Amino acid sequence: MRLSRGLTNAIAILMLIIVVLVISIPMITFFTNTQQTGTEKLALVNNYIFLKNLQVKQVEYGHPAIYYANSSIEFYYTNGTFVPPTNLTIVKILYLQGGVWLNLSYHYPITINAFTNLTLPSYVQGKPIIIVTSLGNVFFLTPKSSIGPYSTSAKGGLVIAAEIAEPNGPIGVATNVTTNINGAYKNYTTPIAFPNQTGTFVVKAPEYVFYERPNGSIVTGVFHNWILGGQVTANSTTSSSISVSLTGGTATLTANYTPITDYVNLEVQSFNGENVNILIDGNRYTVTGTQNINVLAGYVNITILTNQFYINSTNIHKHYMLVKSVYNGKSYTADSYIIFVNPFSSSSNILDLVFENDYSLYKVNIYYGVYTNKYGVAAPPNVTKITPYAIGYVGTVYLGNPGSNSGLFELNSTEYTYNNPYWIRNGTYVIGYVGTVYTNGTYVIDNFPIVINCFYVSFNDSPPQSYSALDWLQYVTYVNGTPYTQPNITIDSPLTIEVYYAWTTGYTSL
């Protein structure tokens, strides 16, 4: 009995020990791993910083040195004793285009572990570049410049740029600068890079530059100073025209401008009191006759929305077209342009919108009528014209539906129906006639005799006889009440055109 109780106690103690071990070992492992993970993270951060700084030193010592040869980027291992040798992994190559850094399309990443020559596309050549590595290092180069122990000469590269110093940060602008850096004076558009340069030369920047925002508003900058960067000296930084000296290596020259904030009055003159819609620096105005508008001095963006209109009266619609805008003695023929309003000018700032009457529409009334024998129209050949006492119709052939009207009047082959007014553009037109005119059951048809067979004609002094009767027409045109016989007509005023279809009857024996 005692032996059994002792065995039971021993088994209970053993099970307790097993439970303690089962709980304790995972907890010890968890805390150990947590501490180890924190240590590993700290080690990774420290290792990254070490490798990032090490990469910069390696490039500076030529492992590899980087040389920008204008048309290509060359990587030279010029110091083989540097330890430890590591690869240079490139994740981006950026180039400067219009004041913006753009990513060059390549199959990234690019791993450099030996001499490498990366050929650049033509649209990149001659522009400043930035090389970004996998460790976050940024290497900036201009054409014919290098980082590390490599150089082909003592000459360097120069970049000339321009910017407007806005409160939210500078705005890069494209403007013209004049320099004799390559000999003769020439104009260049900023930003512009000049590789492999040295010596002294002159650079001239304009007094005013502008930047157009997407909404059409314009920021105008007035020259303030030059900002020099790199190995460059100048005889002044506050004059827009300076003498510059390069001493080798890369250099930058930035024309810095201050935005103009003064408002001036712009007097816009329309035409004949007509309403003209216009955009000025992105703001819409309706100008009636003459209107004064406050604008920011400097460059002003103009877009004319109403470039044509009609001036209407009872019988005339005159069409006017914008032919030019005149400001400060200069003419602008486009609908959209940019003018310069001098902030220090004491004269009136007048923008004159010039419209001209290029054509007119005149009201033309067109009527018709049918009159029997009114104009004594001659009979066709071999047909005797007689006046019967009585006519008996045995059989009649009708072409069409008597009593309807489908006659048309033509001007240059354009058809007009009768008894309607039309607005017709001024010009000279060929007159024509088309179709059939019916009236009171008697009809005439354009240019074709109408044959009515089997007439019995009774004369006063003879018995009835059988005849064939022919109807034909002749057009008689009146313009503003005056007979008109010309084939052409010039419309340069309101007109009333009347066309009379005259007809007669002749007979031949059957």
Side-chain angles (χ1 to χ4, degrees):
M1 191 69 176
R2 291 180 179 177
L3 179 61
S4 176
R5 183 179 297 174
L7 181 59
T8 300
N9 292 337
I11 292 173
I13 293 172
L14 180 59
M15 291 180 65
L16 179 61
I17 293 173
I18 292 173
V19 170
V20 171
L21 291 176
V22 168
I23 296 174
S24 301
I25 292 175
M27 292 183 64
I28 294 171
T29 303
F30 171 78
F31 287 113
T32 302
N33 288 342
T34 300
Q35 183 177 4
Q36 183 177 353
T37 300
T39 304
E40 288 175 354
K41 287 183 178 179
L42 181 60
L44 286 174
V45 171
N46 292 334
N47 188 49
Y48 166 77
I49 295 174
F50 171 79
L51 292 176
K52 188 173 185 293
N53 295 333
L54 178 63
Q55 187 178 70
V56 174
K57 291 182 180 179
Q58 286 181 308
V59 172
E60 291 175 348
Y61 283 96
H63 217 268
I66 306 172
Y67 174 64
Y68 180 19
N70 190 42
S71 61
S72 64
I73 307 172
E74 299 174 1
F75 299 87
Y76 287 86
Y77 282 80
T78 57
N79 189 343
T81 61
F82 189 88
V83 177
T86 58
N87 297 334
L88 183 68
T89 302
I90 300 172
V91 294
K92 280 186 181 179
I93 298 177
L94 308 175
Y95 65 98
L96 187 63
Q97 177 69 43
V100 178
W101 290 101
L102 303 176
N103 189 28
L104 179 62
S105 295
Y106 260 126
H107 295 293
Y108 300 109
I110 303 171
T111 301
I112 307 298
N113 52 20
F115 170 78
T116 303
N117 186 315
L118 293 180
T119 301
L120 297 174
S122 58
Y123 59 85
V124 177
Q125 296 176 12
K127 296 180 173 63
I129 62 171
I130 289 176
I131 297 173
V132 182
T133 73
S134 60
L135 293 176
N137 285 314
V138 176
F139 299 105
F140 171 81
L141 297 103
T142 56
K144 301 298 181 181
S145 66
S146 65
I147 302 176
Y150 177 85
S151 179
T152 56
S153 69
K155 299 180 181 181
L158 172 68
V159 176
I160 302 177
E163 65 182 25
I164 300 177
E166 283 252 274
N168 295 330
I171 300 175
V173 294
T175 189
N176 288 328
V177 295
T178 304
T179 179
N180 61 344
I181 188 172
N182 286 324
Y185 282 97
K186 292 184 179 180
N187 290 327
Y188 301 90
T189 301
T190 62
I192 179 69
F194 297 94
N196 200 27
Q197 295 290 338
T198 189
T200 300
F201 47 90
V202 174
V203 178
K204 301 177 182 179
E207 184 177 2
Y208 298 97
V209 298
F210 72 91
Y211 173 78
E212 183 178 354
R213 299 186 188 277
N215 63 356
S217 64
I218 285 185
V219 179
T220 302
V222 59
F223 180 83
H224 184 262
N225 68 304
W226 288 99
I227 300 175
L228 309 182
Q231 301 180 40
V232 59
T233 59
N235 63 338
S236 172
T237 57
T238 58
S239 172
S240 60
S241 178
I242 59 174
S243 177
V244 178
S245 296
L246 299 179
T247 58
T250 60
T252 59
L253 196 61
T254 304
N256 184 42
Y257 290 80
T258 301
I260 295 178
T261 57
D262 297 327
Y263 281 85
V264 294
N265 180 64
L266 178 65
E267 182 180 306
V268 182
Q269 295 183 348
S270 180
F271 173 81
N272 198 35
E274 292 298 313
N275 294 337
V276 175
N277 293 317
I278 185 172
L279 288 178
I280 300 179
D281 282 345
N283 297 315
R284 185 185 179 109
Y285 301 90
T286 298
V287 178
T288 302
T290 299
Q291 185 170 338
N292 293 320
I293 300 173
N294 283 330
V295 297
L296 274 173
Y299 291 95
V300 179
N301 192 8
I302 305 292
T303 300
I304 303 173
L305 302 177
T306 305
N307 56 20
Q308 57 181 323
F309 54 80
Y310 282 97
I311 297 180
N312 299 329
S313 62
T314 303
N315 295 315
I316 304 174
H317 295 339
K318 291 187 176 181
H319 181 267
Y320 286 83
M321 177 67 73
L322 176 72
V323 293
K324 62 181 177 179
S325 304
V326 180
Y327 177 77
N328 199 22
K330 184 177 180 180
S331 295
Y332 302 85
T333 57
D335 296 342
S336 184
Y337 48 88
I338 293 176
I339 63 175
F340 180 78
V341 181
N342 194 322
F344 306 108
S345 175
S346 58
S347 60
S348 298
N349 301 306
I350 300 175
L351 178 64
D352 188 16
L353 310 181
V354 181
F355 289 82
E356 289 185 359
N357 175 211
D358 55 341
Y359 69 87
S360 297
L361 301 177
Y362 294 99
K363 190 175 184 179
V364 179
N365 294 290
I366 303 176
Y367 302 105
Y368 85 97
V370 179
Y371 296 92
T372 303
N373 292 331
K374 180 175 181 178
Y375 301 100
V377 180
N382 303 320
V383 175
T384 301
K385 178 182 178 184
I386 62 175
T387 303
Y389 177 76
I391 301 177
Y393 289 88
V394 173
T396 304
V397 179
Y398 286 99
L399 303 178
N401 179 24
S404 67
N405 172 22
S406 60
L408 298 172
F409 182 72
E410 282 190 348
L411 292 175
N412 283 0
S413 300
T414 299
E415 298 176 350
Y416 301 88
T417 58
Y418 289 110
N419 299 329
N420 288 300
Y422 293 94
W423 290 100
I424 300 177
R425 182 168 172 165
N426 60 292
T428 299
Y429 298 85
V430 177
I431 296 176
Y433 310 88
V434 176
T436 305
V437 174
Y438 303 94
T439 178
N440 296 327
T442 306
Y443 56 87
V444 292
I445 184 168
D446 183 16
N447 293 330
F448 292 96
I450 301 170
V451 178
I452 303 175
N453 292 318
C454 302
F455 266 62
Y456 283 99
V457 181
S458 176
F459 296 90
N460 291 333
D461 56 354
S462 64
Q465 301 177 47
S466 295
Y467 285 85
S468 172
L470 292 87
D471 288 355
W472 64 91
L473 64 86
Q474 175 176 316
Y475 302 108
V476 179
T477 303
Y478 276 65
V479 176
N480 287 348
T482 302
Y484 193 86
T485 58
Q486 301 298 318
N488 300 328
I489 186 170
T490 298
I491 298 177
D492 56 6
S493 64
L495 298 178
T496 295
I497 298 175
E498 298 169 284
V499 180
Y500 295 105
Y501 289 78
W503 61 280
T504 187
T505 302
Y507 301 87
T508 57
S509 297
L510 293 177

